[in-house]
Amino acid sequence: MADHDSTAVHDEVELARMGYKQELKRELGLMQNFGVSFSIISVMTGIPSLFLFGLNTGGPAVMVWGWAVVSVFTMLVGMAMAEVCSAHPTSGGPYFWAAMLSRPERAALASWITGWFNLLGQVAVTTGISFGCASFLSTVCTFKTGFVPNEKTQIGVYAAVLVTQGLINTFGVHLLYILNNISVWWHALGTISVVITILSASFVFTHFVDGTGGWGDRASHAYVVVIGILMAQYTLTGFDASAQMTEETRNAAMSGSIGIVMAIGVSAILGWYLLLGLLFSIQDLDGTVASATGQPVAQIFLDTVGENGAIVLMVIVIGCMFFCGTFSITSNSRMMYAFARDGGIPGSKFFAYVNTKWKSPIRTVWLACTLSFILGLPSLGSTVAFSAATSIATIGLYISYAIPIGLRVLNRDQFVRGPFHLGKFSYPIALTAVVWIMFISIAFILPQVNPVDSETFNYSIVAVGIVVIYSVSFWLLSARKWFTGPVKQIAAEEMGINVMEPAEAEKYEAEMKKRED
């Protein structure tokens, strides 16, 4: 008990050093912190959701070897992030890191741009996860029934999934703590059970498929391979959740960093196991791709274990997806809360609120649900809306990872490392991570289906463009005059200043300059 208390005190002192007071319950340990990222990465969500996309963009060979390559580079990104997280363990995550790793005169701008990209990625990844859950729910409802899903019923199921996940997040950390433990075991045992059940050939490692409508001929097979790694990269996304939860984690400077690395490593191994199991169980590749269920994974289940067995396996997958979406909203709401706490989003004063009873940022929970629902609406008129949403999630999140990692490289002379560090490998790993993120950010805005028209247009470039234009324009027109980055909440409150009001932030800065003089 004494060790637990001393750790808690140390965590609060560390948070205070960065300028914040402890407002969220600090109940999570290393395994729970790891579990949040592991549940959001969720190989049982990303792989089944984009399995059809993978079969059409390179097929089994690109899915298998692409997963291995992406896992290596993602681990490098995660290690570089973990080192920064150890030095700055706060719920702001990449948004906070960007300010802390910048030169003082550029800190606010770096934080502002990073925050908006991270917010875009967080919203889009929740969209991808919960929309995928709704799709699989709709599919399993067709088994042994006459139900025929369409775009409108899909949106209805999607809304119901988001509302349910929002309600769970409303009840606070204690309920999430229990669900987190269940989720880790559900994912691990569920993945193993699914593969053992369906595993019944060498085509898996060598068979290439171009189902993009002709990009292999119009451009090259390499083009198809590049866009085909989206399934792997989207799946191995969201591990910054461990950083977002550090203000609720004991021994945060180590637990958050180890949580990131563990989540990527375990997911990479478990994901390859799941991928191989599914691909080796395909009995008719063309029939699986053209399945009447609309979900190749569902067809694999039907072909290997029959309808009753398929229902059981679909429930396992849907459970993983639901847990994944629930914790995505948890992470999303914490990021929005931290950004709002510093005045970074419209309505900051309203959204920077923690319910005193549940110790949870309830208003940002429902903001996350609402924005994710809106981002899913293009599915009503687009055949590539889901893959576009996953592209947006991947680009948004990874750019927000790249900015603080890049700043850590540029300003390495001022970086004060935490207890988790990479030693002499720090610089090359961080540099490689930034180059990889630049590559995938370009790759995932490229057209995915040929020919390109209103139904097949990859609108990820539009969403990313809107965020770039909005964040830069608003910064130049207004935010640069009042946004200070991660403001020092404790010091400001001691002065009687409400830093959630933009006008008050100027007062805070003036007071700080006066004290320095």
Side-chain angles (χ1 to χ4, degrees), residues 50 52-58 210-219 223-224 226-228 230 382-388 391 443-460:
L50 282 175
L52 177 60
F53 178 87
L55 289 176
N56 282 322
T57 52
D210 178 13
T212 63
W215 278 123
D217 297 325
R218 185 176 175 182
Y223 181 92
V224 178
V226 167
I227 62 175
L230 173 62
S382 172
T383 58
V384 297
F386 179 76
S387 59
S391 293
F444 297 154
I445 63 173
L446 298 174
Q448 299 168 344
V449 178
N450 184 50
V452 179
D453 55 32
S454 59
E455 291 189 359
T456 62
F457 177 67
N458 181 1
Y459 70 92
S460 60

Side-chain angles (χ1 to χ4, degrees), residues 5-234:
D5 291 341
S6 63
T7 300
V9 170
H10 174 76
D11 287 329
E12 291 191 23
V13 169
E14 183 65 17
L15 196 60
R17 178 186 66 80
M18 292 182 286
Y20 294 110
K21 67 178 182 180
Q22 184 70 43
E23 292 186 299
L24 300 171
K25 283 187 177 181
R26 199 176 284 276
E27 292 188 346
L28 307 181
L30 170 59
M31 288 306 297
Q32 287 74 39
N33 183 281
F34 152 77
V36 172
S37 278
F38 178 68
S39 295
I40 292 177
I41 291 176
S42 182
V43 296
M44 285 281 275
T45 297
I47 291 175
S49 296
L50 282 175
F51 201 76
L52 177 60
F53 178 87
L55 289 176
N56 282 322
T57 52
V62 173
M63 294 169 79
V64 170
W65 298 116
W67 182 273
V69 171
V70 167
S71 294
V72 171
F73 282 103
T74 303
M75 179 58 78
L76 296 181
V77 174
M79 291 171 70
M81 275 184 58
E83 187 176 52
V84 176
C85 177
S86 182
H88 303 288
T90 177
S91 67
Y95 150 76
F96 183 92
W97 302 337
M100 295 298 99
L101 297 170
S102 295
R103 302 296 182 188
E105 63 274 14
R106 301 188 187 94
L109 174 59
S111 182
W112 175 265
I113 299 297
T114 304
W116 277 104
F117 269 110
N118 195 251
L119 190 150
L120 171 69
Q122 292 272 359
V123 170
V125 82
T126 301
T127 300
I129 294 165
S130 297
F131 195 89
C133 181
S135 297
F136 271 67
L137 269 172
S138 295
T139 298
V140 78
C141 287
T142 65
F143 293 1
K144 293 193 171 184
T145 70
F147 175 66
V148 179
N150 55 42
E151 293 86 353
K152 292 181 180 178
T153 60
Q154 173 71 14
I155 284 292
V157 175
Y158 175 47
V161 168
L162 283 173
V163 168
T164 306
Q165 291 168 337
L167 287 171
I168 291 173
N169 273 276
T170 298
F171 290 104
V173 174
H174 183 66
L175 181 60
L176 294 174
Y177 175 88
I178 298 171
L179 290 176
N180 186 24
N181 290 333
I182 297 173
S183 176
V184 172
W185 288 106
W186 187 285
H187 275 83
L189 297 178
T191 303
I192 294 170
S193 299
V194 165
V195 175
I196 290 175
T197 302
I198 64 173
L199 199 56
S200 350
S202 66
F203 88 102
V204 168
F205 297 99
T206 60
H207 192 66
F208 180 85
V209 176
D210 178 13
T212 63
W215 278 123
D217 297 325
R218 185 176 175 182
S220 70
H221 285 169
Y223 181 92
V224 178
V225 171
V226 167
I227 62 175
I229 64 171
L230 173 62
M231 183 201 72
Q233 194 66 78
Y234 164 69

